[in-house]
Structures are given as C-alpha cells and as structure tokens.
Amino acid sequence: MVVAVFGRDAKSVIFRFAKNLAIIKDEKMVGSLAEPLHKMEAKVVSIFFSFFIVFSTCSVVAATTASVSIDAPGNDTLVPGRFPDVKVSLANVQNLTNLELKISQGSGVENLCLIDLNENIALCSLAVSLDDGWQAIDVSLYSDGGLVSKAAISVAVDEDRDGIADHLDKCKNTIDTEAVDVDGCSPVQLDSDNDGISNVDEFLLILPAINMLLDSPYEPVEEPKPLENAIEDGLFFESPAHKALVVTDKPSLRLRANSSLDLTGAKLTVSIGNGSTESCSFDPDTKVGKCDLTKPIGHEWTDIEAVLFKSDTQLARSVISVALDSDEDGIANFEDFCSSTSLDDTANSLGCAPSQIDSDFDGISDIDEIAAGSNPFSGKSYPAVKISAFTALPEKISRAGDGVGLSWITSGATSVSLTNNADDFSFSRLPAEGNARVAPNFSTTYTVVATGPGGKSSANVQVKVGAFTPQNQWGESPLDQVAEAISASLTVSESGAIFLGAFDNNYYRFSPKGDLDWTLKDVGVVMNKGAIQGSTIFIGTSNSTGGTVAALDGDKTTRWISRTESAVIGGPVLNSIGTVVYAATYDGSVYGFNTVDGQEQWSYQLPEGETVSATPALSLDGATLYVHSNSHNVYALSLLPSPLLMMRSSQSLSGQSPSNIAQSQTNGTLLWKSDIGKEE
C-alpha cells in the first residue's frame, strides 16, 4: 500500500489516512513511523504499510467510489470536426441519484450529456465549437447537485483528416486519400516555384521530368559504327538512313551507286550483323539496288553492310546501323520501357507516354489519377470510379431484333462489364471507353459496371422495343370488293396470292397488292382455309344439296369437283407427299380423294349422330388422321390399310368408363376415340 504525503505534518496525515480505513485507532500507533518524516521535509514520501494489507482489504473494497472515463476520442488525438461526439463510460453509479453528466471545453460553457444507465455509458456533444490548437475537453459527473467524478482529454481539430492539425496545416481541404508532407500538403497542392501551377501539373507538362520516375536497368548503348565506303564515289543507302529506327524487323533497303564505271553485270549483296547474307536486285542503268530482307535484324543496333561487285571484284561498299522501333515512338525497342505507345501520344526518353506511366503501381495511370484528383505518387490514393457517359443509339426501335449501339466512357476503372436484365448475355474485360452492338427482342435495360481500386460505379440505359404498327399496303380492302360477308379464313400461296370465300357462293383470288384477280361464281360457300399444292388450291364447300371438294388452278380453271352428301365446313388437308386430300363432312363422313383426278380412295363414317365442323389434322408421320366432332369426341383414324378396327374410349370428364372394341373395317381404321368432355 502506497500513501502520498504532502507537507511536513506526516504523522497527522498518516493517522487520518489510516483512521479513515478503520485500521489505526490511536495516533500513537504511527508515531514511530512519522518521526523520521519530520526530518526529510520532502514534498512527496512513499510509506509502505505492508503489515496492514491483510486487515485493510475489506475496507478498501467498501470505499470504492463512482467514476467517469472518456472512451472516445482518445487523449492527445486529432478529431475531424469542431463538434466531436464524446463517448463516456460510467462506473459504480448504481447507488447514486439525480445523476447529471456535463461536458465543457475551453470556453467554460457546459452542455448536458445523454446517459444510458442500462449500459453505463453516455454520449456528449459540445455546446461551443473547438478552436484551432490543442484544447481540453472536460466531463463532470454530478449526483444530487454535487460533483462526484471528472475526466479530461486533450484534442486538436483536423478537418481534412490528413493527419496534420488545422493550426499546423498549410494546405486545407486535402483529399483524405492523398499522402501529405509535414505541412499537410499533397503533391497536387504543392507549388514549389509559386508560378500558379502545381508540382504535379508541371510534372506532366514537362515530359522529360517523367524520366525521374523510372530507373533504367540498361547500360548506355555504344554508338553505331561510322559510315564506311570502300570506294570514294561508291555506294550509299537511300533508305533507311544511317542510325535510323525501322518499324519492321525485315526492312526494305534501297541503295544507289555513284560510280561512273560501267556497271553492266554488277551484283549487289547485303550482310546483316547476325551473319546472314542476301542477294539484292540491281539495275546498272539507273544504278539503283533494292533489297527485301528475309532474315530479321538483331534486337539492338544492327549493322547492315552492302557490297557492289563485278566479276568477283569489289566495286563499292557501305555500312549503316539500324534498330527496331515497333510502336514508332522514337525509342528503339531494346530501350523502350513501354511497348505499343499510341501514335497520338508523345513518349519520353524511355518510350513511355503519360498515359502509360503508373508511378504508384496501383493500376491507374498517372495522367488518369491527376485528372480524377488523386495522388499519382501514392499507392493508397485512388481516383474515384466514374461513368461519364452510357448511351444507347437509338433508344427505341420499332421492330424486335433491330440493331442498337451502346457506348460508354469510364474513368478510374480497371475492369468494365456489360449485362442486361434479360440475363441473356454478359461481357467482361471491356475497355474503359468502348461500344457494343445489341439486338433486343423486347424492351431491355442494359447495365455497365466499372470497377477500380477507388470503388465501383454502374449506370443503366433502357432500349424500348415499340409495338409494330402495320401499314395498309392495299388501297382498297377486299371487304369493299366482295359483295357479301367473307365466310372463310384467308389462304395465302407462296406467290403471295390471297384466296377467300364469301356467303354469296363465290370464291375470290386477290393479288399480293390487293387487286382482284378473279371470281369463281356459284362454287358454294367456302367456310374454311384451303390446302395449297404448287399452283393448285383444294377447297371444301357447302350448298343446298350437300357439299363438294374441288381442285382449282391459279388461273381459276377447275381441275375436278367431287360431290359429298353433306356440307364440307372444315378445310381439306393434304398428305405429306401431296397424293391424297382429306376432308370431313358435317354428317361425320371422312373422305380421302386422289389429288390428280378427285377419285375417292379412302373413307370412314363416324358413329351415327356425330357431326364435324372442324378441319381434320394429320400426324407428323402422315399415318394417322385426327377428327374432332361437335359432340366433344376426338377420333384417331389410321390411314394404313388394315382389316381391323381398334377404338379406345378413355374415361371422359363426364365419368364414362373406358372400353375397347375390335371389328372389321374395309376403309379407314379407327385407332382410338376419346371424349374430351362437353362444355358447360
């Protein structure tokens, strides 16, 4: 146990301290301990009552008092605002009444705090804003109007959160992602020469300064060999020139000889630095030689030696040195740190354009970071990801499947993707600025998502597919050209001709332009679509005496007519090979006619009482004909020759029991019958 004793009256202090702990009852008990302290005249003396520890334990616990402590902000810290929230913890306040917690700063103005006794915490807000510089924030706990406990911290304001207190910060409003110096200034804010241009902007304006960002691992390259001529008036290269940079590793060479000698029969060869020799063409009249190299030049400066000789006698020679510069930025490939520099960009001495330099290696070029307001030298400073444009052209199409162009422009992104709400495609790894072509079949929303180290951004554009409004291509409607109401569904041939029947017993043909081609009078009422084979249309009719099935040519010629005892209301159906046309009459008779002459080849009679108004249907294999009666039965008729009739009546909606019947049949064969239930 340690006691801090102030002043010379050590004996009195020790006695009062011990008496309060109910350990020492008599002042004489501490007399022997206090006497030496009178001689020391010390301001602070530590006295160890080790022999009282056992007896004082319970009394210390009983004497524990209420207290407050400030959890946040911490002591000697920077706060981002001038009215910081202060979080306070309370201890041992359960027995106190009428609690109040107040906060104040240098002005002395107090403000009440909100206390949560369930959690023993409080939240405090200042009544007066903090000034610049380090300031104390005090909290005081009161019970029944009396002070119980106090706590204090020291803070300073740093509104731009750059780690430099405002009263020391020479550059306000620094972006919180930028690195700063001891004065609170980022490179974007510094202007060392006070010329009104920031250091970073000058860095971009003076491109050679970019060289300082990179340390070249290459040693200086030796200068190419000087031009040499074997004969004074000999041979020289017109292209490429000495010390030229070439775009391809197999450049074309053009040389000219100046010799006044007779060069008839002269030959020209070139040798590349790697040792290969190639023959060239040479015109002795124009004295011009041409060489298209088949072997590549070397990776660095390469010597090309040309020799002009005649009858094994060397007439002239010339040597040049060239190097490869694939991206045409003026820097040889072997010295180029940035390949594929755009022809529109200016490269520095290392072959790098501003858009290719990334000083902090965060995946965003320096020029993009500066344009976006971030620090290109800090790996922790990233430009915000933005989508400045996302458009669709056109935004509305009249027909499904028409083409639409999508275009987008992003910044600060290392990844761009494109999706739509139909989930029928997804494109990723798209360029930061690009376009795509789509062909929506219905109104679709497209979404472009840009992602980068500085965050994520998305934008939507909707392409509407409008309802197509057909245009009337006919000046006069068939309704105006047919005296009576049209009775049948339209039939359209491959040539675009339109056939229809009317209740005036006539049959009509119209051209694709809507002109009336012809009228076949008194053929009967055609109640359904016809069946077309080539230029022939097969129709079913009804009249006062029964019905007919007829074959008409495109010019209105009647090829044949087969009469039936009952009206043919449903349309005829052709088999897959076009040899038989099937039709059902109202009285339940089903026929198959030869398409050439109309002779009956097949027939079947439905049970008595069955009537048919619908068009029959053929199976895909052409082996079964399905007939739907007006009494809600469906019949499946075999078109294959068979003496056996099979009928299956499945349980219908009316609850009839299924049954199987077998009987002899000379024409059509019933495979099954199903009652699909009568309509209410």
Side-chain angles (χ1 to χ4, degrees):
M1 181 179 298
V2 181
V3 180
V5 183
F6 297 87
R8 296 183 178 181
D9 195 359
K11 178 179 178 181
S12 176
V13 172
I14 296 172
F15 176 74
R16 286 197 303 271
F17 177 79
K19 188 176 180 179
N20 287 336
L21 295 181
I23 297 174
I24 300 177
K25 302 298 183 182
D26 187 353
E27 189 172 353
K28 295 179 181 180
M29 293 177 64
V30 296
S32 60
L33 293 174
E35 280 298 323
L37 300 178
H38 287 291
K39 300 178 181 180
M40 296 176 63
E41 298 186 4
K43 292 294 183 180
V44 180
V45 179
S46 296
I47 303 173
F48 296 82
F49 293 97
S50 57
F51 51 89
F52 290 135
I53 292 177
V54 176
F55 303 98
S56 63
T57 303
C58 296
S59 298
V60 171
V61 173
T64 303
T65 59
S67 64
V68 293
S69 60
I70 299 177
D71 294 339
N75 189 33
D76 295 332
T77 59
L78 301 176
V79 292
R82 297 187 179 274
F83 291 90
D85 290 330
V86 178
K87 184 178 179 183
V88 179
S89 291
L90 311 177
N92 302 316
V93 297
Q94 60 271 20
N95 296 324
L96 300 181
T97 58
N98 299 321
L99 287 179
E100 284 186 332
L101 185 66
K102 297 181 179 180
I103 184 171
S104 65
Q105 40 78 263
S107 66
V109 179
E110 291 186 324
N111 197 27
L112 285 174
C113 304
L114 298 175
I115 300 176
D116 183 353
L117 291 177
N118 292 324
E119 300 292 336
N120 284 333
I121 60 174
L123 186 62
C124 305
S125 297
L126 294 176
V128 180
S129 67
L130 293 173
D131 295 325
D132 285 342
W134 290 98
Q135 297 179 70
I137 296 178
D138 301 304
V139 292
S140 303
L141 179 65
Y142 298 88
S143 175
D144 295 323
L147 179 63
V148 176
S149 179
K150 293 185 68 173
I153 58 172
S154 179
V155 298
V157 178
D158 175 19
E159 289 194 287
D160 59 4
R161 306 186 188 195
D162 61 358
I164 307 297
D166 282 4
H167 67 286
L168 301 174
D169 198 336
K170 295 181 179 179
C171 297
K172 307 295 185 182
N173 302 319
T174 305
I175 298 176
D176 57 6
T177 56
E178 293 184 349
V180 298
D181 59 15
V182 293
D183 293 322
C185 297
S186 70
V188 178
Q189 296 172 304
L190 291 175
D191 179 13
S192 301
D193 52 9
N194 297 314
D195 62 354
I197 303 175
S198 72
N199 290 358
V200 172
D201 289 338
E202 287 199 25
F203 171 81
L204 289 180
L205 292 172
I206 307 172
L207 290 179
I210 300 177
N211 296 333
M212 300 175 61
L213 300 176
L214 301 170
D215 295 322
S216 174
Y218 292 91
E219 296 295 332
V221 181
E222 293 183 1
E223 289 292 323
K225 295 179 181 179
L227 182 66
E228 297 180 18
N229 288 315
I231 301 178
E232 185 176 352
D233 64 343
L235 185 68
F236 69 94
F237 282 84
E238 288 188 335
S239 66
H242 181 48
K243 296 180 63 176
L245 298 176
V246 293
V247 179
T248 175
D249 62 355
K250 298 176 183 177
S252 295
L253 310 177
R254 180 183 174 92
L255 300 97
R256 184 179 295 274
N258 286 337
S259 176
S260 58
L261 300 176
D262 180 13
L263 298 178
T264 303
K267 296 181 179 180
L268 179 66
T269 62
V270 294
S271 299
I272 306 174
N274 57 18
S276 61
T277 300
E278 300 188 26
S279 298
C280 306
S281 64
F282 182 75
D283 186 342
D285 296 327
T286 61
K287 298 181 174 58
V288 173
K290 296 180 180 180
C291 300
D292 291 323
L293 297 183
T294 60
K295 302 292 181 63
I297 61 176
H299 295 292
E300 298 187 4
W301 287 105
T302 302
D303 290 342
I304 300 179
E305 180 184 39
V307 177
L308 184 66
F309 63 95
K310 182 178 181 180
S311 301
D312 297 330
T313 299
Q314 182 173 295
L315 302 177
R317 63 183 291 270
S318 182
V319 179
I320 62 170
S321 290
V322 296
L324 183 61
D325 176 19
S326 301
D327 56 5
E328 299 182 74
D329 61 357
I331 306 299
N333 283 8
F334 70 92
E335 295 177 322
D336 198 334
F337 279 77
C338 300
S339 60
S340 304
T341 302
S342 171
L343 293 176
D344 297 328
D345 288 335
T346 301
N348 62 8
S349 61
L350 297 177
C352 296
S355 60
Q356 295 174 302
I357 298 174
D358 180 13
S359 301
D360 52 12
F361 304 102
D362 61 357
I364 308 296
S365 71
D366 288 3
I367 196 169
D368 287 341
E369 287 208 44
I370 293 171
S374 63
N375 184 357
F377 306 104
S378 172
K380 297 181 180 179
S381 174
Y382 306 111
V385 177
K386 296 180 181 179
I387 300 175
S388 56
F390 182 40
T391 59
L393 189 67
E395 291 185 350
K396 183 176 181 180
I397 55 178
S398 59
R399 295 183 303 180
D402 280 356
V404 176
L406 302 178
S407 300
W408 60 90
I409 300 175
T410 69
S411 60
T414 56
S415 172
V416 178
S417 62
L418 182 65
T419 59
N420 67 5
N421 62 341
D423 292 330
D424 57 4
F425 78 87
S426 177
F427 298 115
S428 58
R429 298 182 180 179
L430 297 173
E433 181 176 345
N435 54 73
R437 190 162 183 84
V438 295
N441 292 316
F442 46 84
S443 295
T444 304
T445 298
Y446 296 89
T447 301
V448 64
V449 178
T451 306
K456 185 176 183 179
S457 182
S458 64
N460 299 319
V461 65
Q462 185 182 45
V463 177
K464 295 182 178 180
V465 179
F468 177 69
T469 303
Q471 301 297 319
N472 181 21
Q473 297 183 3
W474 293 355
E476 186 179 12
S477 169
L479 293 175
D480 300 326
Q481 303 180 61
V482 178
E484 297 291 337
I486 296 175
S487 60
S489 300
L490 303 181
T491 305
V492 182
S493 69
E494 291 184 0
S495 65
I498 299 96
F499 299 87
L500 59 88
F503 284 105
D504 58 3
N505 290 318
N506 297 333
Y507 199 62
Y508 300 87
R509 169 180 161 143
F510 291 86
S511 72
K513 295 183 178 180
D515 299 325
L516 179 62
D517 287 340
W518 50 254
T519 302
L520 182 62
K521 294 185 176 182
D522 299 325
V523 70
V525 178
V526 178
M527 302 288 288
N528 218 309
K529 291 180 65 173
I532 293 181
Q533 181 185 44
S535 62
T536 303
I537 181 169
F538 301 90
I539 60 174
T541 73
S542 60
N543 50 51
S544 58
T545 61
T548 64
V549 175
L552 309 177
D553 282 336
D555 59 359
K556 197 174 71 171
T557 302
T558 301
R559 296 181 58 184
W560 54 261
I561 296 179
S562 295
R563 303 189 180 279
T564 60
E565 295 183 1
S566 183
V568 181
I569 299 177
V573 179
L574 283 166
N575 67 357
S576 59
I577 58 176
T579 58
V580 179
V581 57
Y582 299 96
T585 61
Y586 186 75
D587 64 0
S589 299
V590 186
Y591 299 96
F593 299 100
N594 188 302
T595 56
V596 176
D597 55 14
Q599 293 296 316
E600 180 182 319
Q601 291 189 334
W602 179 96
S603 67
Y604 182 79
Q605 181 65 49
L606 298 183
E608 185 177 352
E610 291 281 34
T611 59
V612 178
S613 300
T615 299
L618 272 171
S619 63
L620 292 178
D621 60 4
T624 306
L625 184 69
Y626 301 96
V627 180
H628 175 207
S629 74
N630 294 329
S631 58
H632 313 290
N633 287 320
V634 176
Y635 293 85
L637 307 177
S638 174
L639 301 178
L640 302 176
S642 173
L644 183 65
L645 167 66
M646 293 297 297
M647 179 184 75
R648 182 174 77 243
S649 178
S650 61
Q651 183 174 355
S652 68
L653 297 177
S654 60
Q656 297 177 351
S657 300
S659 60
N660 292 297
I661 303 173
Q663 66 182 61
S664 175
Q665 185 70 22
T666 57
N667 291 311
T669 302
L670 177 65
L671 298 177
W672 52 262
K673 164 196 168 186
S674 178
D675 184 349
I676 61 174
K678 297 181 180 180
E679 298 178 356
E680 295 294 336

